[in-house]
Amino acid sequence: MQTSAPGKLILCGEHAVVYQRPAIAIPLRDVRATITIAPAAPGSGLTVKAPELRAVWRLQAQEPLSALASMTLDYLKLAEPDVELTIASALPIASGMGSGAAVGTALVRALAYVAGRTLDAASIAELVYTSERAFHGTPSGIDNTVVAYEQPIWFQRQAAGPPLIAPLEVGGPWTLVVADTGVASSTHAVVGDLRARWQADPAPYERSFDAVAALVVQVRAALGGSDGAALGALLNRNHELLVELGVSAAQLDTLVAAARSAGAWGAKMSGAGWGGVMLALVAPAIAATVAEALRTAGAARTWITHLERTP
Ligand code: MEV
């Protein structure tokens, strides 16, 4: 038996979303983390294996996945089962594609399966969020939410209470080319650095966050329409604001410029920045050409993905 969860991309609004502005995220349905569930000898307990990382964790370890597994077993009111869970992930780590949230979500689903239960997306997102917060500072919760819901979402933290989460209308259909700089980057570090700069001098950052929020509203409308050039221009503007916020990187800016020169309607970094991935909105006919241009410009890996129209 296997469980799985998709990767994700932030289409618009990363970082500002930590400061209660809205953001839009989409699932990457065909780039997934998978967990294979196998029974283990009686009394052997729970083992989580990540062969790609040459890592093996037991339930008691001081590790994020062990903590998430303990919390999930408590939630399910399940005693430690004798199972071996083996992780395989097509998502590069620390790249902005939601690898941590995808593995966490697949893990919660695997333990729910062992308990003979199916958990709804909101409960899964909450469990993964609680464990991410324990290990990764002040995440907004958008990553675990889009991964658990597996649909394009509007997400906004509230001053109090649960975040606002709404599924989004998708027009298009849209084609995205995603490129990994190959530079690993810690979300925790980038979010923490921005927080320190914001604390020292909030006003300019608040203005940038408001500008991002206004863009996100426009992106929601454009996403539901079919004007690629209009949506692309908004993504370009979001990239410029992220550069101003100090979260981009030379490699990201190079790839963004290469995608635009190759004919993309728009391109931006996606996720925490300082490394990780960028995305480009393209006409389907030029997707392969843009991907090639991105590899020539130094991308370690590229993916072509589609956002289908909502029925
Ligand atoms: C990371 O995918 C998105 C950030 O906005 C961080 C967060 O929302 O927790 C950079």
Side-chain angles (χ1 to χ4, degrees):
M1 171 63 192
Q2 283 189 335
T3 57
S4 75
K8 69 91 201 147
L9 291 172
I10 308 276
L11 189 63
C12 188
E14 53 274 89
H15 286 291
V17 69
V18 174
Y19 300 82
Q20 292 174 21
R21 271 56 167 206
I24 292 173
I26 58 174
L28 267 173
R29 293 205 174 88
D30 23 292
V31 193
R32 306 184 74 88
T34 304
I35 289 194
T36 304
I37 307 163
S44 58
L46 175 68
T47 311
V48 181
K49 293 187 168 175
E52 288 150 3
L53 303 179
R54 296 202 177 84
V56 178
W57 295 289
R58 307 285 310 179
L59 192 58
Q60 295 74 20
Q62 294 299 309
E63 291 287 339
L65 284 182
S66 303
L68 177 60
S70 286
M71 203 188 313
T72 306
L73 292 176
D74 287 348
Y75 180 84
L76 293 164
K77 299 189 176 51
L78 184 70
E80 181 176 356
D82 297 322
V83 286
E84 196 175 276
L85 304 178
T86 305
I87 301 168
S89 178
L91 293 154
I93 290 169
S95 69
M97 290 170 77
S99 146
V103 169
T105 300
L107 178 74
V108 174
R109 289 192 173 132
L111 293 172
Y113 172 82
V114 171
R117 301 258 305 270
T118 309
L119 297 179
D120 61 17
S123 312
I124 297 173
E126 182 65 33
L127 282 162
V128 177
Y129 181 61
T130 309
S131 102
E132 283 201 345
R133 221 178 22 193
F135 286 88
H136 300 301
T138 55
S140 65
I142 190 170
D143 289 11
N144 48 283
T145 302
V146 66
V147 165
Y149 283 74
E150 203 162 338
Q151 53 181 315
I153 56 158
W154 170 274
F155 181 95
Q156 187 168 15
R157 278 174 103 170
Q158 306 293 302
L164 201 74
I165 299 163
L168 288 179
E169 288 280 311
V170 178
W174 304 111
T175 301
L176 295 170
V177 182
V178 182
D180 185 3
T181 56
V183 178
S185 143
S186 147
T187 300
H188 188 27
V190 190
V191 169
D193 179 80
L194 178 55
R195 179 171 295 281
R197 289 185 281 123
W198 169 79
Q199 273 165 344
D201 185 14
Y205 293 97
E206 288 294 323
R207 278 196 295 277
S208 297
F209 296 152
D210 284 340
V212 172
L215 266 182
V216 173
V217 172
Q218 290 176 276
V219 166
R220 173 171 57 184
L223 186 68
S226 55
D227 183 344
L231 179 54
L234 296 169
L235 300 181
N236 284 340
R237 177 75 191 121
N238 192 189
H239 183 74
E240 308 324 329
L241 288 168
L242 289 160
V243 170
E244 271 175 42
L245 284 172
V247 296
S248 192
Q251 291 93 331
L252 286 165
D253 297 342
T254 301
L255 295 182
V256 163
R260 291 176 189 163
S261 304
W265 282 316
K268 68 180 278 287
M269 55 157 274
S270 179
W274 285 3
V277 295
M278 53 75 67
L279 59 82
L281 181 75
V282 300
I286 65 161
T289 315
V290 172
E292 173 81 45
L294 286 166
R295 287 192 297 272
T296 306
R301 244 181 114 177
T302 58
W303 297 260
I304 295 173
T305 184
H306 304 281
L307 258 184
E308 301 306 333
R309 267 177 178 279
T310 38

